[in-house]
Amino acid sequence: MRNLVNDSRQRLGWSQQRLADELGVSRQTVISIERGRFDPSLPLAFRLAAVFDSTIEELFFPDDQP
């Protein structure tokens, strides 16, 4: 699964640590999500969407979508 978490975070001017603090997760978790090595749980995906004032579908999409 691909995502726009990194782009969304940078648009806010936040560090990975700031996002991790907002979400209540470790910085390593944020790094793993941004790099596509970890797919977040549904509750975490909803928190990410809320932080970025977005929807889950706008942040995450299958690898086969452009």
Side-chain angles (χ1 to χ4, degrees):
M1 182 172 346
R2 295 182 7 215
N3 68 72
L4 298 175
V5 173
N6 187 333
D7 295 337
S8 300
R9 176 182 59 77
Q10 289 185 14
R11 214 175 358 260
L12 291 177
W14 288 6
S15 66
Q16 290 170 329
Q17 186 61 57
R18 167 82 189 270
L19 179 57
D21 292 344
E22 290 287 327
L23 297 171
V25 300
S26 70
R27 181 174 159 268
Q28 192 61 41
T29 298
V30 170
I31 291 168
S32 293
I33 292 169
E34 287 185 351
R35 293 184 179 167
R37 291 184 297 181
F38 173 73
D39 293 333
S41 65
L42 193 53
L44 180 53
F46 274 111
R47 289 200 314 264
L48 277 160
V51 163
F52 296 130
D53 193 29
S54 182
T55 65
I56 292 174
E57 293 85 359
E58 291 170 333
L59 284 178
F60 297 94
F61 43 95
D63 288 326
D64 61 352
Q65 275 189 343

mmCIF file of all heavy atoms in Angstrom, residues 2-53:
data_model
loop_
_atom_site.group_PDB
_atom_site.id
_atom_site.type_symbol
_atom_site.label_atom_id
_atom_site.label_comp_id
_atom_site.label_asym_id
_atom_site.label_seq_id
_atom_site.Cartn_x
_atom_site.Cartn_y
_atom_site.Cartn_z
ATOM 1 N N ARG A 2 0.526 2.216 -0.812
ATOM 2 C CA ARG A 2 1.260 3.481 -0.854
ATOM 3 C C ARG A 2 0.491 4.518 -0.044
ATOM 4 O O ARG A 2 -0.695 4.344 0.231
ATOM 5 C CB ARG A 2 1.422 3.940 -2.294
ATOM 6 C CG ARG A 2 2.295 2.973 -3.079
ATOM 7 C CD ARG A 2 2.567 3.351 -4.501
ATOM 8 N NE ARG A 2 2.102 4.647 -4.909
ATOM 9 C CZ ARG A 2 1.639 4.935 -6.112
ATOM 10 N NH1 ARG A 2 1.554 3.999 -7.011
ATOM 11 N NH2 ARG A 2 1.255 6.147 -6.429
ATOM 12 N N ASN A 3 1.182 5.600 0.311
ATOM 13 C CA ASN A 3 0.509 6.629 1.095
ATOM 14 C C ASN A 3 1.138 7.998 0.858
ATOM 15 O O ASN A 3 2.226 8.112 0.295
ATOM 16 C CB ASN A 3 0.526 6.264 2.576
ATOM 17 C CG ASN A 3 1.910 6.320 3.173
ATOM 18 O OD1 ASN A 3 2.463 7.384 3.370
ATOM 19 N ND2 ASN A 3 2.480 5.147 3.466
ATOM 20 N N LEU A 4 0.410 9.004 1.300
ATOM 21 C CA LEU A 4 0.862 10.391 1.181
ATOM 22 C C LEU A 4 1.148 11.002 2.552
ATOM 23 O O LEU A 4 1.065 12.223 2.719
ATOM 24 C CB LEU A 4 -0.201 11.215 0.448
ATOM 25 C CG LEU A 4 -0.501 10.779 -0.982
ATOM 26 C CD1 LEU A 4 -1.645 11.598 -1.558
ATOM 27 C CD2 LEU A 4 0.737 10.915 -1.846
ATOM 28 N N VAL A 5 1.495 10.173 3.516
ATOM 29 C CA VAL A 5 1.728 10.652 4.871
ATOM 30 C C VAL A 5 2.923 11.605 4.904
ATOM 31 O O VAL A 5 2.846 12.685 5.498
ATOM 32 C CB VAL A 5 1.905 9.478 5.853
ATOM 33 C CG1 VAL A 5 2.313 9.977 7.231
ATOM 34 C CG2 VAL A 5 0.617 8.663 5.931
ATOM 35 N N ASN A 6 4.007 11.235 4.255
ATOM 36 C CA ASN A 6 5.191 12.084 4.240
ATOM 37 C C ASN A 6 4.865 13.453 3.630
ATOM 38 O O ASN A 6 5.200 14.487 4.211
ATOM 39 C CB ASN A 6 6.316 11.399 3.461
ATOM 40 C CG ASN A 6 7.631 12.144 3.550
ATOM 41 O OD1 ASN A 6 7.673 13.344 3.746
ATOM 42 N ND2 ASN A 6 8.708 11.422 3.389
ATOM 43 N N ASP A 7 4.220 13.458 2.485
ATOM 44 C CA ASP A 7 3.859 14.720 1.830
ATOM 45 C C ASP A 7 2.949 15.558 2.713
ATOM 46 O O ASP A 7 3.131 16.775 2.835
ATOM 47 C CB ASP A 7 3.159 14.460 0.493
ATOM 48 C CG ASP A 7 4.062 13.798 -0.531
ATOM 49 O OD1 ASP A 7 5.299 13.925 -0.414
ATOM 50 O OD2 ASP A 7 3.530 13.156 -1.446
ATOM 51 N N SER A 8 1.979 14.919 3.333
ATOM 52 C CA SER A 8 1.031 15.632 4.190
ATOM 53 C C SER A 8 1.731 16.212 5.408
ATOM 54 O O SER A 8 1.461 17.348 5.817
ATOM 55 C CB SER A 8 -0.088 14.693 4.625
ATOM 56 O OG SER A 8 -0.789 14.195 3.514
ATOM 57 N N ARG A 9 2.630 15.445 5.994
ATOM 58 C CA ARG A 9 3.380 15.911 7.163
ATOM 59 C C ARG A 9 4.254 17.109 6.797
ATOM 60 O O ARG A 9 4.290 18.122 7.504
ATOM 61 C CB ARG A 9 4.247 14.771 7.715
ATOM 62 C CG ARG A 9 5.140 15.196 8.877
ATOM 63 C CD ARG A 9 6.008 14.056 9.358
ATOM 64 N NE ARG A 9 6.891 13.506 8.351
ATOM 65 C CZ ARG A 9 8.033 14.086 7.937
ATOM 66 N NH1 ARG A 9 8.415 15.246 8.428
ATOM 67 N NH2 ARG A 9 8.786 13.495 7.031
ATOM 68 N N GLN A 10 4.942 17.005 5.683
ATOM 69 C CA GLN A 10 5.821 18.100 5.266
ATOM 70 C C GLN A 10 5.042 19.363 4.922
ATOM 71 O O GLN A 10 5.517 20.463 5.174
ATOM 72 C CB GLN A 10 6.687 17.653 4.097
ATOM 73 C CG GLN A 10 7.743 16.651 4.531
ATOM 74 C CD GLN A 10 8.699 16.286 3.406
ATOM 75 O OE1 GLN A 10 8.747 16.936 2.380
ATOM 76 N NE2 GLN A 10 9.463 15.236 3.621
ATOM 77 N N ARG A 11 3.846 19.187 4.382
ATOM 78 C CA ARG A 11 3.000 20.334 4.059
ATOM 79 C C ARG A 11 2.666 21.141 5.326
ATOM 80 O O ARG A 11 2.548 22.356 5.285
ATOM 81 C CB ARG A 11 1.726 19.857 3.360
ATOM 82 C CG ARG A 11 1.213 20.804 2.341
ATOM 83 C CD ARG A 11 0.017 20.330 1.535
ATOM 84 N NE ARG A 11 -0.515 19.005 1.761
ATOM 85 C CZ ARG A 11 -0.266 17.937 1.007
ATOM 86 N NH1 ARG A 11 0.530 18.013 -0.032
ATOM 87 N NH2 ARG A 11 -0.819 16.775 1.278
ATOM 88 N N LEU A 12 2.540 20.431 6.450
ATOM 89 C CA LEU A 12 2.293 21.108 7.725
ATOM 90 C C LEU A 12 3.566 21.659 8.356
ATOM 91 O O LEU A 12 3.501 22.410 9.330
ATOM 92 C CB LEU A 12 1.640 20.139 8.720
ATOM 93 C CG LEU A 12 0.212 19.698 8.437
ATOM 94 C CD1 LEU A 12 -0.238 18.690 9.497
ATOM 95 C CD2 LEU A 12 -0.727 20.879 8.405
ATOM 96 N N GLY A 13 4.708 21.245 7.811
ATOM 97 C CA GLY A 13 5.983 21.684 8.367
ATOM 98 C C GLY A 13 6.342 20.960 9.655
ATOM 99 O O GLY A 13 7.107 21.466 10.469
ATOM 100 N N TRP A 14 5.775 19.773 9.843
ATOM 101 C CA TRP A 14 6.019 18.994 11.054
ATOM 102 C C TRP A 14 7.166 18.022 10.866
ATOM 103 O O TRP A 14 7.378 17.485 9.787
ATOM 104 C CB TRP A 14 4.786 18.184 11.411
ATOM 105 C CG TRP A 14 3.640 18.967 11.951
ATOM 106 C CD1 TRP A 14 3.542 20.325 12.046
ATOM 107 C CD2 TRP A 14 2.420 18.448 12.462
ATOM 108 N NE1 TRP A 14 2.331 20.668 12.579
ATOM 109 C CE2 TRP A 14 1.624 19.542 12.850
ATOM 110 C CE3 TRP A 14 1.924 17.172 12.629
ATOM 111 C CZ2 TRP A 14 0.364 19.383 13.404
ATOM 112 C CZ3 TRP A 14 0.667 17.007 13.170
ATOM 113 C CH2 TRP A 14 -0.098 18.105 13.566
ATOM 114 N N SER A 15 7.871 17.761 11.953
ATOM 115 C CA SER A 15 8.887 16.714 11.963
ATOM 116 C C SER A 15 8.188 15.367 12.170
ATOM 117 O O SER A 15 7.006 15.303 12.551
ATOM 118 C CB SER A 15 9.866 16.943 13.114
ATOM 119 O OG SER A 15 9.204 16.781 14.365
ATOM 120 N N GLN A 16 8.930 14.309 11.932
ATOM 121 C CA GLN A 16 8.380 12.979 12.186
ATOM 122 C C GLN A 16 8.056 12.815 13.670
ATOM 123 O O GLN A 16 7.057 12.200 14.028
ATOM 124 C CB GLN A 16 9.360 11.905 11.728
ATOM 125 C CG GLN A 16 9.486 11.837 10.230
ATOM 126 C CD GLN A 16 10.618 10.941 9.772
ATOM 127 O OE1 GLN A 16 11.634 10.807 10.449
ATOM 128 N NE2 GLN A 16 10.455 10.335 8.606
ATOM 129 N N GLN A 17 8.882 13.400 14.521
ATOM 130 C CA GLN A 17 8.635 13.305 15.962
ATOM 131 C C GLN A 17 7.366 14.045 16.352
ATOM 132 O O GLN A 17 6.588 13.558 17.170
ATOM 133 C CB GLN A 17 9.824 13.861 16.754
ATOM 134 C CG GLN A 17 9.683 13.649 18.248
ATOM 135 C CD GLN A 17 9.605 12.180 18.624
ATOM 136 O OE1 GLN A 17 10.499 11.407 18.304
ATOM 137 N NE2 GLN A 17 8.539 11.772 19.311
ATOM 138 N N ARG A 18 7.122 15.205 15.758
ATOM 139 C CA ARG A 18 5.891 15.957 16.063
ATOM 140 C C ARG A 18 4.658 15.135 15.678
ATOM 141 O O ARG A 18 3.693 15.069 16.444
ATOM 142 C CB ARG A 18 5.909 17.292 15.313
ATOM 143 C CG ARG A 18 4.586 18.033 15.274
ATOM 144 C CD ARG A 18 4.321 18.825 16.537
ATOM 145 N NE ARG A 18 2.968 19.345 16.577
ATOM 146 C CZ ARG A 18 2.577 20.514 16.106
ATOM 147 N NH1 ARG A 18 3.449 21.317 15.533
ATOM 148 N NH2 ARG A 18 1.320 20.907 16.209
ATOM 149 N N LEU A 19 4.690 14.516 14.504
ATOM 150 C CA LEU A 19 3.566 13.691 14.085
ATOM 151 C C LEU A 19 3.408 12.505 15.026
ATOM 152 O O LEU A 19 2.291 12.173 15.437
ATOM 153 C CB LEU A 19 3.744 13.214 12.644
ATOM 154 C CG LEU A 19 2.637 12.316 12.098
ATOM 155 C CD1 LEU A 19 1.271 12.993 12.193
ATOM 156 C CD2 LEU A 19 2.943 11.917 10.659
ATOM 157 N N ALA A 20 4.505 11.872 15.384
ATOM 158 C CA ALA A 20 4.451 10.734 16.305
ATOM 159 C C ALA A 20 3.816 11.152 17.633
ATOM 160 O O ALA A 20 2.964 10.434 18.169
ATOM 161 C CB ALA A 20 5.853 10.178 16.537
ATOM 162 N N ASP A 21 4.198 12.311 18.138
ATOM 163 C CA ASP A 21 3.630 12.805 19.392
ATOM 164 C C ASP A 21 2.130 13.055 19.259
ATOM 165 O O ASP A 21 1.356 12.728 20.156
ATOM 166 C CB ASP A 21 4.336 14.087 19.832
ATOM 167 C CG ASP A 21 5.781 13.866 20.243
ATOM 168 O OD1 ASP A 21 6.175 12.704 20.492
ATOM 169 O OD2 ASP A 21 6.532 14.860 20.300
ATOM 170 N N GLU A 22 1.714 13.627 18.148
ATOM 171 C CA GLU A 22 0.289 13.898 17.905
ATOM 172 C C GLU A 22 -0.515 12.599 17.860
ATOM 173 O O GLU A 22 -1.667 12.563 18.297
ATOM 174 C CB GLU A 22 0.098 14.645 16.588
ATOM 175 C CG GLU A 22 0.584 16.073 16.589
ATOM 176 C CD GLU A 22 -0.299 17.013 17.382
ATOM 177 O OE1 GLU A 22 -1.524 16.808 17.422
ATOM 178 O OE2 GLU A 22 0.256 17.958 17.980
ATOM 179 N N LEU A 23 0.089 11.546 17.321
ATOM 180 C CA LEU A 23 -0.599 10.270 17.147
ATOM 181 C C LEU A 23 -0.457 9.331 18.345
ATOM 182 O O LEU A 23 -1.178 8.337 18.435
ATOM 183 C CB LEU A 23 -0.060 9.550 15.902
ATOM 184 C CG LEU A 23 -0.268 10.256 14.577
ATOM 185 C CD1 LEU A 23 0.504 9.545 13.477
ATOM 186 C CD2 LEU A 23 -1.751 10.339 14.237
ATOM 187 N N GLY A 24 0.492 9.625 19.224
ATOM 188 C CA GLY A 24 0.741 8.742 20.353
ATOM 189 C C GLY A 24 1.470 7.474 19.966
ATOM 190 O O GLY A 24 1.236 6.411 20.551
ATOM 191 N N VAL A 25 2.341 7.581 18.957
ATOM 192 C CA VAL A 25 3.146 6.444 18.508
ATOM 193 C C VAL A 25 4.612 6.843 18.517
ATOM 194 O O VAL A 25 4.946 8.008 18.750
ATOM 195 C CB VAL A 25 2.733 5.967 17.092
ATOM 196 C CG1 VAL A 25 1.284 5.529 17.073
ATOM 197 C CG2 VAL A 25 2.982 7.043 16.044
ATOM 198 N N SER A 26 5.482 5.909 18.224
ATOM 199 C CA SER A 26 6.911 6.213 18.171
ATOM 200 C C SER A 26 7.283 6.852 16.831
ATOM 201 O O SER A 26 6.563 6.693 15.838
ATOM 202 C CB SER A 26 7.739 4.935 18.367
ATOM 203 O OG SER A 26 7.624 4.099 17.234
ATOM 204 N N ARG A 27 8.395 7.541 16.835
ATOM 205 C CA ARG A 27 8.905 8.122 15.590
ATOM 206 C C ARG A 27 9.196 7.013 14.579
ATOM 207 O O ARG A 27 8.982 7.184 13.379
ATOM 208 C CB ARG A 27 10.167 8.937 15.877
ATOM 209 C CG ARG A 27 10.750 9.603 14.656
ATOM 210 C CD ARG A 27 11.923 10.518 15.036
ATOM 211 N NE ARG A 27 12.745 10.742 13.876
ATOM 212 C CZ ARG A 27 13.797 10.000 13.540
ATOM 213 N NH1 ARG A 27 14.180 9.001 14.303
ATOM 214 N NH2 ARG A 27 14.481 10.261 12.454
ATOM 215 N N GLN A 28 9.673 5.877 15.063
ATOM 216 C CA GLN A 28 9.963 4.744 14.181
ATOM 217 C C GLN A 28 8.704 4.255 13.474
ATOM 218 O O GLN A 28 8.754 3.862 12.309
ATOM 219 C CB GLN A 28 10.612 3.597 14.976
ATOM 220 C CG GLN A 28 11.192 2.530 14.101
ATOM 221 C CD GLN A 28 12.290 3.044 13.179
ATOM 222 O OE1 GLN A 28 13.129 3.845 13.580
ATOM 223 N NE2 GLN A 28 12.276 2.622 11.937
ATOM 224 N N THR A 29 7.575 4.302 14.151
ATOM 225 C CA THR A 29 6.306 3.920 13.522
ATOM 226 C C THR A 29 5.978 4.861 12.381
ATOM 227 O O THR A 29 5.581 4.423 11.292
ATOM 228 C CB THR A 29 5.162 3.905 14.560
ATOM 229 O OG1 THR A 29 5.462 2.915 15.556
ATOM 230 C CG2 THR A 29 3.823 3.601 13.916
ATOM 231 N N VAL A 30 6.154 6.150 12.595
ATOM 232 C CA VAL A 30 5.894 7.139 11.540
ATOM 233 C C VAL A 30 6.816 6.884 10.350
ATOM 234 O O VAL A 30 6.377 6.883 9.196
ATOM 235 C CB VAL A 30 6.061 8.581 12.068
ATOM 236 C CG1 VAL A 30 6.033 9.594 10.926
ATOM 237 C CG2 VAL A 30 4.978 8.897 13.097
ATOM 238 N N ILE A 31 8.089 6.646 10.627
ATOM 239 C CA ILE A 31 9.052 6.363 9.558
ATOM 240 C C ILE A 31 8.613 5.132 8.763
ATOM 241 O O ILE A 31 8.622 5.143 7.525
ATOM 242 C CB ILE A 31 10.469 6.154 10.141
ATOM 243 C CG1 ILE A 31 11.016 7.468 10.681
ATOM 244 C CG2 ILE A 31 11.409 5.562 9.098
ATOM 245 C CD1 ILE A 31 12.271 7.311 11.526
ATOM 246 N N SER A 32 8.211 4.080 9.457
ATOM 247 C CA SER A 32 7.800 2.840 8.788
ATOM 248 C C SER A 32 6.546 3.042 7.947
ATOM 249 O O SER A 32 6.438 2.490 6.847
ATOM 250 C CB SER A 32 7.563 1.742 9.822
ATOM 251 O OG SER A 32 8.777 1.393 10.445
ATOM 252 N N ILE A 33 5.607 3.834 8.432
ATOM 253 C CA ILE A 33 4.399 4.122 7.651
ATOM 254 C C ILE A 33 4.768 4.925 6.408
ATOM 255 O O ILE A 33 4.332 4.600 5.301
ATOM 256 C CB ILE A 33 3.354 4.877 8.503
ATOM 257 C CG1 ILE A 33 2.797 3.970 9.595
ATOM 258 C CG2 ILE A 33 2.217 5.404 7.619
ATOM 259 C CD1 ILE A 33 1.963 4.698 10.642
ATOM 260 N N GLU A 34 5.559 5.962 6.577
ATOM 261 C CA GLU A 34 5.942 6.816 5.448
ATOM 262 C C GLU A 34 6.677 6.028 4.368
ATOM 263 O O GLU A 34 6.494 6.291 3.182
ATOM 264 C CB GLU A 34 6.818 7.971 5.921
ATOM 265 C CG GLU A 34 6.058 9.023 6.676
ATOM 266 C CD GLU A 34 6.889 10.230 7.052
ATOM 267 O OE1 GLU A 34 8.135 10.218 6.878
ATOM 268 O OE2 GLU A 34 6.298 11.208 7.517
ATOM 269 N N ARG A 35 7.494 5.085 4.762
ATOM 270 C CA ARG A 35 8.269 4.293 3.798
ATOM 271 C C ARG A 35 7.483 3.108 3.231
ATOM 272 O O ARG A 35 7.999 2.372 2.397
ATOM 273 C CB ARG A 35 9.554 3.806 4.439
ATOM 274 C CG ARG A 35 10.503 4.950 4.749
ATOM 275 C CD ARG A 35 11.803 4.466 5.283
ATOM 276 N NE ARG A 35 12.697 5.595 5.545
ATOM 277 C CZ ARG A 35 13.809 5.520 6.232
ATOM 278 N NH1 ARG A 35 14.201 4.356 6.732
ATOM 279 N NH2 ARG A 35 14.547 6.588 6.422
ATOM 280 N N GLY A 36 6.260 2.919 3.720
ATOM 281 C CA GLY A 36 5.434 1.834 3.212
ATOM 282 C C GLY A 36 5.803 0.471 3.752
ATOM 283 O O GLY A 36 5.378 -0.547 3.213
ATOM 284 N N ARG A 37 6.574 0.420 4.818
ATOM 285 C CA ARG A 37 6.965 -0.863 5.415
ATOM 286 C C ARG A 37 5.952 -1.339 6.449
ATOM 287 O O ARG A 37 6.008 -2.473 6.880
ATOM 288 C CB ARG A 37 8.333 -0.741 6.076
ATOM 289 C CG ARG A 37 9.456 -0.571 5.076
ATOM 290 C CD ARG A 37 10.773 -0.559 5.765
ATOM 291 N NE ARG A 37 10.808 0.616 6.652
ATOM 292 C CZ ARG A 37 11.832 0.951 7.411
ATOM 293 N NH1 ARG A 37 12.893 0.215 7.438
ATOM 294 N NH2 ARG A 37 11.784 2.028 8.159
ATOM 295 N N PHE A 38 5.053 -0.454 6.857
ATOM 296 C CA PHE A 38 4.070 -0.777 7.880
ATOM 297 C C PHE A 38 2.743 -0.146 7.500
ATOM 298 O O PHE A 38 2.677 1.058 7.239
ATOM 299 C CB PHE A 38 4.539 -0.251 9.237
ATOM 300 C CG PHE A 38 3.535 -0.387 10.347
ATOM 301 C CD1 PHE A 38 3.249 -1.621 10.895
ATOM 302 C CD2 PHE A 38 2.880 0.725 10.850
ATOM 303 C CE1 PHE A 38 2.328 -1.749 11.924
ATOM 304 C CE2 PHE A 38 1.962 0.610 11.875
ATOM 305 C CZ PHE A 38 1.687 -0.630 12.417
ATOM 306 N N ASP A 39 1.703 -0.952 7.443
ATOM 307 C CA ASP A 39 0.353 -0.448 7.210
ATOM 308 C C ASP A 39 -0.302 -0.238 8.572
ATOM 309 O O ASP A 39 -0.383 -1.180 9.364
ATOM 310 C CB ASP A 39 -0.473 -1.435 6.390
ATOM 311 C CG ASP A 39 0.041 -1.571 4.967
ATOM 312 O OD1 ASP A 39 0.649 -0.613 4.449
ATOM 313 O OD2 ASP A 39 -0.163 -2.654 4.369
ATOM 314 N N PRO A 40 -0.761 0.975 8.845
ATOM 315 C CA PRO A 40 -1.316 1.245 10.171
ATOM 316 C C PRO A 40 -2.637 0.516 10.389
ATOM 317 O O PRO A 40 -3.341 0.179 9.436
ATOM 318 C CB PRO A 40 -1.535 2.760 10.156
ATOM 319 C CG PRO A 40 -1.713 3.090 8.720
ATOM 320 C CD PRO A 40 -0.822 2.137 7.968
ATOM 321 N N SER A 41 -2.949 0.317 11.653
ATOM 322 C CA SER A 41 -4.256 -0.234 12.013
ATOM 323 C C SER A 41 -5.328 0.765 11.583
ATOM 324 O O SER A 41 -5.043 1.946 11.330
ATOM 325 C CB SER A 41 -4.334 -0.452 13.517
ATOM 326 O OG SER A 41 -4.270 0.806 14.188
ATOM 327 N N LEU A 42 -6.546 0.314 11.515
ATOM 328 C CA LEU A 42 -7.643 1.200 11.131
ATOM 329 C C LEU A 42 -7.789 2.380 12.096
ATOM 330 O O LEU A 42 -7.913 3.528 11.645
ATOM 331 C CB LEU A 42 -8.941 0.399 11.018
ATOM 332 C CG LEU A 42 -10.105 1.102 10.344
ATOM 333 C CD1 LEU A 42 -9.730 1.652 8.972
ATOM 334 C CD2 LEU A 42 -11.281 0.149 10.223
ATOM 335 N N PRO A 43 -7.734 2.166 13.416
ATOM 336 C CA PRO A 43 -7.818 3.321 14.319
ATOM 337 C C PRO A 43 -6.690 4.333 14.092
ATOM 338 O O PRO A 43 -6.912 5.540 14.119
ATOM 339 C CB PRO A 43 -7.739 2.704 15.713
ATOM 340 C CG PRO A 43 -8.253 1.306 15.536
ATOM 341 C CD PRO A 43 -7.768 0.899 14.163
ATOM 342 N N LEU A 44 -5.476 3.849 13.836
ATOM 343 C CA LEU A 44 -4.360 4.752 13.581
ATOM 344 C C LEU A 44 -4.535 5.470 12.245
ATOM 345 O O LEU A 44 -4.241 6.662 12.127
ATOM 346 C CB LEU A 44 -3.032 3.992 13.618
ATOM 347 C CG LEU A 44 -1.765 4.813 13.379
ATOM 348 C CD1 LEU A 44 -1.688 6.024 14.314
ATOM 349 C CD2 LEU A 44 -0.542 3.931 13.528
ATOM 350 N N ALA A 45 -5.040 4.780 11.251
ATOM 351 C CA ALA A 45 -5.303 5.423 9.954
ATOM 352 C C ALA A 45 -6.335 6.538 10.107
ATOM 353 O O ALA A 45 -6.190 7.607 9.511
ATOM 354 C CB ALA A 45 -5.777 4.380 8.939
ATOM 355 N N PHE A 46 -7.362 6.308 10.929
ATOM 356 C CA PHE A 46 -8.354 7.357 11.176
ATOM 357 C C PHE A 46 -7.723 8.544 11.901
ATOM 358 O O PHE A 46 -8.039 9.704 11.592
ATOM 359 C CB PHE A 46 -9.536 6.816 11.998
ATOM 360 C CG PHE A 46 -10.606 6.185 11.165
ATOM 361 C CD1 PHE A 46 -10.829 4.819 11.215
ATOM 362 C CD2 PHE A 46 -11.417 6.952 10.330
ATOM 363 C CE1 PHE A 46 -11.830 4.224 10.449
ATOM 364 C CE2 PHE A 46 -12.413 6.374 9.560
ATOM 365 C CZ PHE A 46 -12.618 5.002 9.620
ATOM 366 N N ARG A 47 -6.822 8.291 12.854
ATOM 367 C CA ARG A 47 -6.140 9.392 13.552
ATOM 368 C C ARG A 47 -5.264 10.175 12.588
ATOM 369 O O ARG A 47 -5.221 11.408 12.643
ATOM 370 C CB ARG A 47 -5.320 8.856 14.726
ATOM 371 C CG ARG A 47 -6.183 8.377 15.878
ATOM 372 C CD ARG A 47 -5.462 8.284 17.213
ATOM 373 N NE ARG A 47 -4.157 7.654 17.212
ATOM 374 C CZ ARG A 47 -3.933 6.372 17.515
ATOM 375 N NH1 ARG A 47 -4.935 5.569 17.823
ATOM 376 N NH2 ARG A 47 -2.710 5.893 17.504
ATOM 377 N N LEU A 48 -4.564 9.468 11.698
ATOM 378 C CA LEU A 48 -3.754 10.149 10.687
ATOM 379 C C LEU A 48 -4.618 11.043 9.811
ATOM 380 O O LEU A 48 -4.280 12.206 9.563
ATOM 381 C CB LEU A 48 -3.022 9.129 9.806
ATOM 382 C CG LEU A 48 -1.729 8.565 10.351
ATOM 383 C CD1 LEU A 48 -1.379 7.262 9.654
ATOM 384 C CD2 LEU A 48 -0.615 9.577 10.193
ATOM 385 N N ALA A 49 -5.723 10.510 9.353
ATOM 386 C CA ALA A 49 -6.624 11.286 8.505
ATOM 387 C C ALA A 49 -7.125 12.520 9.244
ATOM 388 O O ALA A 49 -7.175 13.619 8.672
ATOM 389 C CB ALA A 49 -7.789 10.421 8.041
ATOM 390 N N ALA A 50 -7.471 12.371 10.502
ATOM 391 C CA ALA A 50 -7.967 13.507 11.282
ATOM 392 C C ALA A 50 -6.887 14.578 11.460
ATOM 393 O O ALA A 50 -7.165 15.775 11.326
ATOM 394 C CB ALA A 50 -8.471 13.028 12.638
ATOM 395 N N VAL A 51 -5.659 14.149 11.733
ATOM 396 C CA VAL A 51 -4.547 15.095 11.914
ATOM 397 C C VAL A 51 -4.347 15.927 10.654
ATOM 398 O O VAL A 51 -4.088 17.131 10.725
ATOM 399 C CB VAL A 51 -3.248 14.334 12.286
ATOM 400 C CG1 VAL A 51 -2.021 15.191 12.071
ATOM 401 C CG2 VAL A 51 -3.305 13.850 13.723
ATOM 402 N N PHE A 52 -4.493 15.294 9.494
ATOM 403 C CA PHE A 52 -4.269 15.987 8.229
ATOM 404 C C PHE A 52 -5.553 16.554 7.630
ATOM 405 O O PHE A 52 -5.546 17.032 6.500
ATOM 406 C CB PHE A 52 -3.610 15.042 7.222
ATOM 407 C CG PHE A 52 -2.239 14.582 7.643
ATOM 408 C CD1 PHE A 52 -1.907 13.241 7.633
ATOM 409 C CD2 PHE A 52 -1.276 15.491 8.053
ATOM 410 C CE1 PHE A 52 -0.649 12.812 8.013
ATOM 411 C CE2 PHE A 52 -0.011 15.077 8.450
ATOM 412 C CZ PHE A 52 0.302 13.736 8.426
ATOM 413 N N ASP A 53 -6.653 16.505 8.394
ATOM 414 C CA ASP A 53 -7.949 16.995 7.920
ATOM 415 C C ASP A 53 -8.246 16.404 6.545
ATOM 416 O O ASP A 53 -8.515 17.111 5.577
ATOM 417 C CB ASP A 53 -7.968 18.522 7.886
ATOM 418 C CG ASP A 53 -9.371 19.074 7.695
ATOM 419 O OD1 ASP A 53 -10.332 18.414 8.112
ATOM 420 O OD2 ASP A 53 -9.492 20.164 7.103
#
